PDB file of all heavy atoms in Angstrom:
ATOM      1  N   ALA A 958     116.140  90.661  84.747  1.00  0.00           N
ATOM      2  CA  ALA A 958     116.544  91.664  85.739  1.00  0.00           C
ATOM      3  C   ALA A 958     116.627  91.054  87.135  1.00  0.00           C
ATOM      4  O   ALA A 958     117.524  91.390  87.916  1.00  0.00           O
ATOM      5  CB  ALA A 958     115.551  92.828  85.731  1.00  0.00           C
ATOM      6  N   VAL A 959     115.687  90.160  87.457  1.00  0.00           N
ATOM      7  CA  VAL A 959     115.733  89.477  88.753  1.00  0.00           C
ATOM      8  C   VAL A 959     116.987  88.625  88.862  1.00  0.00           C
ATOM      9  O   VAL A 959     117.708  88.655  89.871  1.00  0.00           O
ATOM     10  CB  VAL A 959     114.470  88.613  88.955  1.00  0.00           C
ATOM     11  CG1 VAL A 959     114.614  87.740  90.197  1.00  0.00           C
ATOM     12  CG2 VAL A 959     113.236  89.490  89.087  1.00  0.00           C
ATOM     13  N   VAL A 960     117.268  87.858  87.818  1.00  0.00           N
ATOM     14  CA  VAL A 960     118.445  86.975  87.820  1.00  0.00           C
ATOM     15  C   VAL A 960     119.729  87.800  87.935  1.00  0.00           C
ATOM     16  O   VAL A 960     120.610  87.503  88.762  1.00  0.00           O
ATOM     17  CB  VAL A 960     118.487  86.117  86.543  1.00  0.00           C
ATOM     18  CG1 VAL A 960     119.762  85.298  86.488  1.00  0.00           C
ATOM     19  CG2 VAL A 960     117.275  85.205  86.483  1.00  0.00           C
ATOM     20  N   ILE A 961     119.846  88.836  87.120  1.00  0.00           N
ATOM     21  CA  ILE A 961     121.049  89.670  87.140  1.00  0.00           C
ATOM     22  C   ILE A 961     121.210  90.347  88.501  1.00  0.00           C
ATOM     23  O   ILE A 961     122.306  90.410  89.058  1.00  0.00           O
ATOM     24  CB  ILE A 961     120.991  90.722  86.013  1.00  0.00           C
ATOM     25  CG1 ILE A 961     121.064  90.028  84.651  1.00  0.00           C
ATOM     26  CG2 ILE A 961     122.127  91.736  86.157  1.00  0.00           C
ATOM     27  CD1 ILE A 961     120.799  90.950  83.477  1.00  0.00           C
ATOM     28  N   GLY A 962     120.098  90.832  89.057  1.00  0.00           N
ATOM     29  CA  GLY A 962     120.159  91.509  90.348  1.00  0.00           C
ATOM     30  C   GLY A 962     120.633  90.591  91.460  1.00  0.00           C
ATOM     31  O   GLY A 962     121.520  90.948  92.253  1.00  0.00           O
ATOM     32  N   HIS A 963     120.056  89.389  91.538  1.00  0.00           N
ATOM     33  CA  HIS A 963     120.443  88.463  92.602  1.00  0.00           C
ATOM     34  C   HIS A 963     121.855  87.936  92.399  1.00  0.00           C
ATOM     35  O   HIS A 963     122.646  87.864  93.357  1.00  0.00           O
ATOM     36  CB  HIS A 963     119.437  87.307  92.657  1.00  0.00           C
ATOM     37  CG  HIS A 963     118.107  87.701  93.191  1.00  0.00           C
ATOM     38  ND1 HIS A 963     116.963  86.963  93.001  1.00  0.00           N
ATOM     39  CD2 HIS A 963     117.728  88.789  93.923  1.00  0.00           C
ATOM     40  CE1 HIS A 963     115.942  87.559  93.583  1.00  0.00           C
ATOM     41  NE2 HIS A 963     116.382  88.671  94.139  1.00  0.00           N
ATOM     42  N   ALA A 964     122.184  87.545  91.171  1.00  0.00           N
ATOM     43  CA  ALA A 964     123.527  87.042  90.904  1.00  0.00           C
ATOM     44  C   ALA A 964     124.578  88.121  91.146  1.00  0.00           C
ATOM     45  O   ALA A 964     125.666  87.846  91.682  1.00  0.00           O
ATOM     46  CB  ALA A 964     123.611  86.528  89.468  1.00  0.00           C
ATOM     47  N   ASN A 965     124.252  89.342  90.785  1.00  0.00           N
ATOM     48  CA  ASN A 965     125.146  90.475  91.000  1.00  0.00           C
ATOM     49  C   ASN A 965     125.433  90.653  92.487  1.00  0.00           C
ATOM     50  O   ASN A 965     126.587  90.837  92.895  1.00  0.00           O
ATOM     51  CB  ASN A 965     124.469  91.722  90.411  1.00  0.00           C
ATOM     52  CG  ASN A 965     125.275  92.987  90.637  1.00  0.00           C
ATOM     53  OD1 ASN A 965     126.393  92.946  91.122  1.00  0.00           O
ATOM     54  ND2 ASN A 965     124.699  94.114  90.292  1.00  0.00           N
ATOM     55  N   TYR A 966     124.385  90.553  93.287  1.00  0.00           N
ATOM     56  CA  TYR A 966     124.538  90.754  94.734  1.00  0.00           C
ATOM     57  C   TYR A 966     125.402  89.655  95.349  1.00  0.00           C
ATOM     58  O   TYR A 966     126.184  89.907  96.269  1.00  0.00           O
ATOM     59  CB  TYR A 966     123.154  90.763  95.387  1.00  0.00           C
ATOM     60  CG  TYR A 966     123.123  91.418  96.735  1.00  0.00           C
ATOM     61  CD1 TYR A 966     122.822  92.777  96.869  1.00  0.00           C
ATOM     62  CD2 TYR A 966     123.402  90.699  97.894  1.00  0.00           C
ATOM     63  CE1 TYR A 966     122.801  93.382  98.105  1.00  0.00           C
ATOM     64  CE2 TYR A 966     123.383  91.294  99.143  1.00  0.00           C
ATOM     65  CZ  TYR A 966     123.083  92.637  99.234  1.00  0.00           C
ATOM     66  OH  TYR A 966     123.074  93.236 100.472  1.00  0.00           O
ATOM     67  N   LEU A 967     125.272  88.433  94.846  1.00  0.00           N
ATOM     68  CA  LEU A 967     126.047  87.318  95.377  1.00  0.00           C
ATOM     69  C   LEU A 967     127.478  87.298  94.836  1.00  0.00           C
ATOM     70  O   LEU A 967     128.401  86.846  95.519  1.00  0.00           O
ATOM     71  CB  LEU A 967     125.364  85.987  95.025  1.00  0.00           C
ATOM     72  CG  LEU A 967     124.021  85.715  95.691  1.00  0.00           C
ATOM     73  CD1 LEU A 967     123.389  84.455  95.111  1.00  0.00           C
ATOM     74  CD2 LEU A 967     124.181  85.586  97.196  1.00  0.00           C
ATOM     75  N   PHE A 968     127.663  87.776  93.638  1.00  0.00           N
ATOM     76  CA  PHE A 968     128.940  87.629  92.936  1.00  0.00           C
ATOM     77  C   PHE A 968     129.945  88.723  93.289  1.00  0.00           C
ATOM     78  O   PHE A 968     131.114  88.435  93.566  1.00  0.00           O
ATOM     79  CB  PHE A 968     128.677  87.624  91.430  1.00  0.00           C
ATOM     80  CG  PHE A 968     129.815  87.130  90.595  1.00  0.00           C
ATOM     81  CD1 PHE A 968     129.853  85.813  90.153  1.00  0.00           C
ATOM     82  CD2 PHE A 968     130.848  87.967  90.224  1.00  0.00           C
ATOM     83  CE1 PHE A 968     130.902  85.344  89.377  1.00  0.00           C
ATOM     84  CE2 PHE A 968     131.898  87.520  89.455  1.00  0.00           C
ATOM     85  CZ  PHE A 968     131.925  86.201  89.026  1.00  0.00           C
ATOM     86  N   PHE A 969     129.501  89.967  93.291  1.00  0.00           N
ATOM     87  CA  PHE A 969     130.434  91.092  93.397  1.00  0.00           C
ATOM     88  C   PHE A 969     130.509  91.663  94.812  1.00  0.00           C
ATOM     89  O   PHE A 969     129.574  91.559  95.599  1.00  0.00           O
ATOM     90  CB  PHE A 969     130.031  92.202  92.428  1.00  0.00           C
ATOM     91  CG  PHE A 969     130.204  91.839  90.973  1.00  0.00           C
ATOM     92  CD1 PHE A 969     129.102  91.688  90.153  1.00  0.00           C
ATOM     93  CD2 PHE A 969     131.467  91.643  90.451  1.00  0.00           C
ATOM     94  CE1 PHE A 969     129.250  91.347  88.817  1.00  0.00           C
ATOM     95  CE2 PHE A 969     131.635  91.306  89.103  1.00  0.00           C
ATOM     96  CZ  PHE A 969     130.520  91.156  88.292  1.00  0.00           C
ATOM     97  N   ASP A 970     131.631  92.285  95.076  1.00  0.00           N
ATOM     98  CA  ASP A 970     131.862  92.951  96.358  1.00  0.00           C
ATOM     99  C   ASP A 970     131.433  94.404  96.228  1.00  0.00           C
ATOM    100  O   ASP A 970     132.176  95.238  95.705  1.00  0.00           O
ATOM    101  CB  ASP A 970     133.346  92.850  96.734  1.00  0.00           C
ATOM    102  CG  ASP A 970     133.639  93.484  98.081  1.00  0.00           C
ATOM    103  OD1 ASP A 970     132.678  93.885  98.765  1.00  0.00           O
ATOM    104  OD2 ASP A 970     134.830  93.574  98.440  1.00  0.00           O
ATOM    105  N   HIS A 971     130.252  94.709  96.728  1.00  0.00           N
ATOM    106  CA  HIS A 971     129.735  96.078  96.624  1.00  0.00           C
ATOM    107  C   HIS A 971     130.114  96.920  97.836  1.00  0.00           C
ATOM    108  O   HIS A 971     129.897  98.125  97.850  1.00  0.00           O
ATOM    109  CB  HIS A 971     128.215  96.053  96.467  1.00  0.00           C
ATOM    110  CG  HIS A 971     127.756  95.381  95.207  1.00  0.00           C
ATOM    111  ND1 HIS A 971     127.730  96.022  93.989  1.00  0.00           N
ATOM    112  CD2 HIS A 971     127.328  94.112  94.966  1.00  0.00           C
ATOM    113  CE1 HIS A 971     127.299  95.186  93.059  1.00  0.00           C
ATOM    114  NE2 HIS A 971     127.053  94.028  93.625  1.00  0.00           N
TER     115      HIS A 971
END
Side-chain angles (χ1 to χ4, degrees):
V959 171
V960 175
I961 293 171
H963 289 162
N965 177 7
Y966 200 92
L967 293 173
F968 195 97
F969 292 113
D970 182 7
H971 297 278

